[in-house]
């Protein structure tokens, strides 16, 4: 028995030079009977877009009123029913935008707008001024509650921060009672993920008492991971603990606002929903401060990939991405989940082969079952969703570079140009495309691949050319070839025996060619319908493919044989017979 190369435990990684001892792990939550790991998400949460607030304040160049209006209209068209339109007390632009959409009647009856405001009296009053004339809206009150914020920013103890929240919650209720429209409330203990759970609960409970929710008066308690500082499982534990202990829970919508500092914002949101969250706040494509808010697009399409209706329209994701990029000036990276230019694209040969076979198998199974492909259960290697379901085409799924194999080449030529290549011909074409990609250090497009294929397998200039073929008698065909400029007339049997009989005849004037394979398909070349014949031939031990196109199938096969002979290097003897008898 061969010895193991590395005995178990032999590999040792070296210590880094990073000052990791400066950082303390997040405290665990005392929740031994946590229930969220056994649950599944079966319905979409309530969505709140914060693109016009969090996503706007994080931009190098914040949106003006016109761009904010464009983005608001996009969110409405996509189906968002709760939209945080901004921070109207923060700037003139924010205030003017709020007034514009209210005065211009831009807000559909079934859409709730909300505005965020910190616990400061003058800013709260200004926010209610911005809501003048709005039939319904939500005031989102927040103040930070974490120990560091209490000590460094507010220089207050727990009692001082608690009074700040309660006093300003009371002011919000007084102003709402005087407002002619319906004003709802949301409260966020900002930096919740870094706040002691007992204190976060105390603040939320006291604010809840002030707002006094009932059957006809829901309030929203929002739990922000203002800074993502622990694993998503810790956030889920925090959410479940709060959900269990919040007073008047039946009248509270528990909202979650994850950020992405650790790169696990989506995971935190999904686990938080399992733990009792009912509403998700985030931005399209994860825009927001630092590494951004949780991405609403990824969350929605993750639900779709599990058979859950996200209740948001992402059927044309490229159009959504384009509009967001135009409004924000921020680019969505090529590898961004679902929406990036390259996320449904494979360059790897093994991936391409599996995808190509998977698509063919899916199409065949749908046909066998009598089901439209767009309605058939999706199951294709390497593609978690059907790109067409979000408005993408199959043309971009497979792209060819030096890492690609025959599967990618075959897929592009089949999907973009209709070719059905035999397997060993796929290998030949793949070698040609790899040579081009290696030489030029870039990918080869479908059009470039088609040009390479035509130049190599459908060349105009050949050493062996078909001049004519005609029926010369029952079951017989007379074929005239031009070989290195000289005429060669041979006879052969019609049907499947034609090419072998022509090859035997050619053996009398040069190396003996052997026809190994012959496949045909209906094809249209340069708008002319006809037959494309693939012919594989061996000469002096070298086997290669040739292709021939002609409106007549027999002529197409003969042209394919000529190309194969040309590529294999077949040449006649010096003296050419003018005619050869038909081969029996």
């Amino acid at each position: 028995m061969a010895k193991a190369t590395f005995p178990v435990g032999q590999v040792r990684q070296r210590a880094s030079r990073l000052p990791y001892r400066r950082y303390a792990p997040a405290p665990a939550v005392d929740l031994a009977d946590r229930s969220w790991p056994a649950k599944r998400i079966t319905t979409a949460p309530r969505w709140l877009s914060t693109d016009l607030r969090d996503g706007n304040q994080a931009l190098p160049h914040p949106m003006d009123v016109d761009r904010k209006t464009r983005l608001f209209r996009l969110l409405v068209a996509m189906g968002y029913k709760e939209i945080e339109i901004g921070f109207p007390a923060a700037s003139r632009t924010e205030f003017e935008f709020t007034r514009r959409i209210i005065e211009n009647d831009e807000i559909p009856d079934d859409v709730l707008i909300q505005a965020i405001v910190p616990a400061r009296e003058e800013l709260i009053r200004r926010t209610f001024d911005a809501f003048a004339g709005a039939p319904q809206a939500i005031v989102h009150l927040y103040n930070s509650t974490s120990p560091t914020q209490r000590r460094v920013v507010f220089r207050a103890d727990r009692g001082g921060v608690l009074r700040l929240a309660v006093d300003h919650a009371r002011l919000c209720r007084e102003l709402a009672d005087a407002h002619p429209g319906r004003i709802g409330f949301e409260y966020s203990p900002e930096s919740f993920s870094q706040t002691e759970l007992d204190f976060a609960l105390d603040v939320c409970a006291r604010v809840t008492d002030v707002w006094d929710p009932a059957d006809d008066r829901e309030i929203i308690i929002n739990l922000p991971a203002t800074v993502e500082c622990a694993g998503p499982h810790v956030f889920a534990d925090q959410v479940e603990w709060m959900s269990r202990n919040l007073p008047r829970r039946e009248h509270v919508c528990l909202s979650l606002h994850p950020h992405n500092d650790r790169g696990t914002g989506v995971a935190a949101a999904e686990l938080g929903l399992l733990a009792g969250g009912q509403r998700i706040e985030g931005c399209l494509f994860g825009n927001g401060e630092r590494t951004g808010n949780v991405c609403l697009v990824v969350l929605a399409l993750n639900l779709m990939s599990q058979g859950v209706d996200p209740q948001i329209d992402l059927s044309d994701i490229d159009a959504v991405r384009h509009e967001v990029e135009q409004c924000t000036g921020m680019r969505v990276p090529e590898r961004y989940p679902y929406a990036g230019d390259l996320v449904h694209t494979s360059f790897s040969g093994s991936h391409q082969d599996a995808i190509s076979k998977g698509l063919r198998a899916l199409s065949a199974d749908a046909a066998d079952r009598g089901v439209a492909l767009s309605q058939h259960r999706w199951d294709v290697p390497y593609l978690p969703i059907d790109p067409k379901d979000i408005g993408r085409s199959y043309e971009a799924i497979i792209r060819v570079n030096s890492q690609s194999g025959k599967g990618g080449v075959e897929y592009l030529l089949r999907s973009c140009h209709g070719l059905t290549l035999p397997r060993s011909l796929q290998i030949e074409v793949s070698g040609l495309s790899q040579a081009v990609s290696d030489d030029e250090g870039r990918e080869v497009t479908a059009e470039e691949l088609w040009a390479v294929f035509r130049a190599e397998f459908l060349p105009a200039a050949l050493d062996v050319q078909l001049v004519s073929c005609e029926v010369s008698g029952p079951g017989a065909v007379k074929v005239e070839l031009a070989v290195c400029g000289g005429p060669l007339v041979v006879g052969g049997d019609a049907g499947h025996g034609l090419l072998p009989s022509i090859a035997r005849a050619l053996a009398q004037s040069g190396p003996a060619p052997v026809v190994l394979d012959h496949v045909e398909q209906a094809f249209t070349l340069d708008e002319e319908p006809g037959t494309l014949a693939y012919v594989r031939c061996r000469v002096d031990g070298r086997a290669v493919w040739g292709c021939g196109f002609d409106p007549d199938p027999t002529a197409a096969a003969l042209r394919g044989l000529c190309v194969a002979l040309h590529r294999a290097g077949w040449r006649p003897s010096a003296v050419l017979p003018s005619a050869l008898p038909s081969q029996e």
Side-chain angles (χ1 to χ4, degrees):
M1 179 180 295
K3 293 182 179 179
T5 305
F6 295 105
V8 175
Q10 178 176 322
V11 177
R12 292 285 187 270
Q13 294 180 191
R14 68 180 185 182
S16 75
R17 293 183 293 177
L18 295 171
Y20 61 90
R21 289 186 176 89
R22 298 184 64 202
Y23 304 94
V29 178
D30 184 12
L31 195 68
D33 60 341
R34 60 183 59 83
S35 63
W36 60 262
K39 295 181 179 178
R40 294 182 59 189
I41 301 173
T42 57
T43 58
R46 285 168 53 177
W47 303 108
L48 173 89
S49 163
T50 65
D51 289 88
L52 299 172
R53 191 264 294 182
D54 267 12
N56 186 41
Q57 73 180 19
L59 299 177
H61 304 287
M63 290 178 277
D64 57 21
V65 172
D66 288 339
R67 284 189 293 153
K68 287 195 72 168
T69 302
R70 281 177 59 183
L71 190 50
F72 177 77
R73 290 170 179 168
L74 172 68
L75 294 167
V76 169
M78 293 174 69
Y80 287 99
K81 302 302 181 183
E82 296 178 71
I83 301 171
E84 193 159 80
I85 59 171
F87 193 158
S91 72
R92 184 177 64 187
T93 298
E94 296 288 280
F95 190 90
E96 287 179 355
F97 169 68
T98 305
R99 298 305 308 146
R100 173 187 282 191
I101 62 173
I102 292 173
E103 292 172 357
N104 292 351
D105 199 21
E106 291 266 5
I107 308 165
D109 293 340
D110 62 347
V111 171
L112 271 172
I113 60 169
Q114 77 175 39
I116 193 168
V117 62
R120 287 176 54 185
E121 179 177 351
E122 70 277 13
L123 300 183
I124 292 172
R125 293 186 182 279
R126 179 70 167 163
T127 300
F128 274 87
D129 290 343
F131 277 161
Q136 56 185 11
I138 298 172
V139 172
H140 179 187
L141 176 70
Y142 76 93
N143 64 286
S144 197
T145 56
S146 70
T148 302
Q149 292 264 17
R150 296 196 307 260
R151 175 174 56 85
V152 174
V153 178
F154 297 105
R155 298 182 181 180
D157 58 11
R158 284 190 175 193
V161 170
L162 180 61
R163 284 191 297 275
L164 184 73
V166 170
D167 289 348
H168 290 88
R170 189 173 292 115
L171 174 62
C172 287
R173 178 156 188 186
E174 291 171 1
L175 294 174
D177 288 343
H179 192 279
R182 296 179 59 191
I183 301 296
F185 301 118
E186 173 176 338
Y187 175 70
S188 290
E190 191 196 8
S191 61
F192 160 78
S193 55
Q194 296 168 295
T195 299
E196 310 93 343
L197 282 176
D198 65 316
F199 183 55
L201 177 64
D202 193 16
V203 177
C204 290
R206 294 289 297 278
V207 170
T208 299
D209 286 342
V210 171
W211 285 343
D212 191 25
D215 287 343
D216 61 344
R217 191 169 58 253
E218 171 199 81
I219 68 167
I220 300 166
I221 295 295
N222 182 52
L223 305 180
T226 308
V227 178
E228 189 182 33
C229 55
H233 62 294
V234 175
F235 184 66
D237 280 351
Q238 293 173 323
V239 172
E240 182 163 343
W241 191 93
M242 289 290 288
S243 181
R244 291 184 185 185
N245 291 285
L246 277 173
R248 309 198 198 189
R249 183 66 180 86
E250 69 277 14
H251 301 310
V252 172
C253 173
L254 189 59
S255 184
L256 309 178
H257 186 109
H259 275 251
N260 198 42
D261 298 88
R262 290 170 51 95
T264 56
V266 168
E270 293 187 344
L271 297 188
L273 290 174
L274 297 176
Q278 298 159 286
R279 181 176 183 258
I280 293 291
E281 299 189 358
C283 292
L284 299 176
F285 307 114
N287 197 11
E289 294 279 29
R290 304 180 311 279
T291 55
N293 292 350
V294 70
C295 177
L296 298 182
V297 171
V298 172
L299 280 171
L301 292 179
N302 280 359
L303 290 179
M304 187 186 81
S305 76
Q306 301 303 302
V308 177
D309 180 6
Q311 300 178 353
I312 294 295
D313 184 5
L314 288 164
S315 58
D316 190 349
I317 198 166
D318 287 336
V320 172
R321 185 188 69 182
H322 175 76
E323 187 69 355
V324 171
E325 289 179 333
Q326 290 292 306
C327 290
T328 64
M330 301 286 284
R331 186 179 62 84
V332 176
E334 287 84 351
R335 297 292 181 189
Y336 198 86
Y338 299 111
D341 278 336
L342 297 179
V343 296
H344 299 118
T345 300
S346 287
F347 291 98
S348 161
S350 61
H351 289 203
Q352 292 174 340
D353 186 57
I355 291 171
S356 182
K357 290 175 179 174
L359 289 170
R360 287 201 301 271
L362 190 74
S363 181
D365 191 47
D368 289 344
R369 296 170 183 265
V371 178
L373 185 59
S374 62
Q375 301 300 314
H376 193 277
R377 177 77 68 180
W378 181 254
D379 185 18
V380 172
Y382 300 111
L383 294 176
I385 67 169
D386 185 346
K388 285 194 172 181
D389 287 340
I390 55 174
R392 292 281 179 85
S393 71
Y394 287 154
E395 294 179 7
I397 292 177
I398 291 176
R399 288 162 63 173
V400 171
N401 63 14
S402 61
Q403 305 300 306
S404 306
K406 62 179 177 59
V409 168
E410 183 275 337
Y411 177 84
L412 283 186
L413 289 176
R414 174 170 53 84
S415 62
C416 299
H417 298 285
L419 299 182
T420 306
L421 302 183
R423 185 178 183 278
S424 56
L425 178 53
Q426 296 172 23
I427 296 172
E428 282 196 50
V429 181
S430 176
L432 294 172
S433 71
Q434 284 183 331
V436 173
S437 184
D438 277 333
D439 289 344
E440 301 189 17
R442 61 176 179 84
E443 72 171 283
V444 180
T445 67
E447 291 308 313
E448 289 172 327
L449 187 59
W450 173 234
V452 168
F453 180 87
R454 290 193 68 165
E456 183 69 21
F457 294 97
L458 290 167
L462 297 170
D463 291 330
V464 182
Q465 293 267 16
L466 175 66
V467 177
S468 66
C469 66
E470 59 184 49
V471 176
S472 59
V477 177
K478 184 174 75 172
V479 177
E480 181 180 354
L481 304 174
V483 181
C484 295
L488 178 62
V489 179
V490 296
D493 300 327
H496 292 294
L498 175 62
L499 297 186
S501 62
I502 295 296
R504 288 193 295 269
L506 289 171
Q508 300 184 36
S509 58
V514 178
V515 176
L516 302 174
D517 204 353
H518 170 207
V519 181
E520 295 180 354
Q521 70 167 107
F523 194 73
T524 299
L525 181 65
D526 299 332
E527 300 185 359
E528 181 179 13
T531 296
L532 185 61
Y534 308 98
V535 179
R536 194 176 188 219
C537 189
R538 183 174 64 235
V539 176
D540 288 339
R542 184 187 178 202
V544 297
W545 284 91
C547 298
F549 174 81
D550 199 276
D552 176 59
T554 300
L558 290 167
R559 293 185 190 280
L561 176 62
C562 291
V563 174
L565 292 170
H566 173 83
R567 295 188 68 237
W570 184 88
R571 298 295 182 272
S573 59
V575 179
L576 293 174
S578 61
L580 292 174
S582 175
Q583 304 300 303
E584 299 298 330

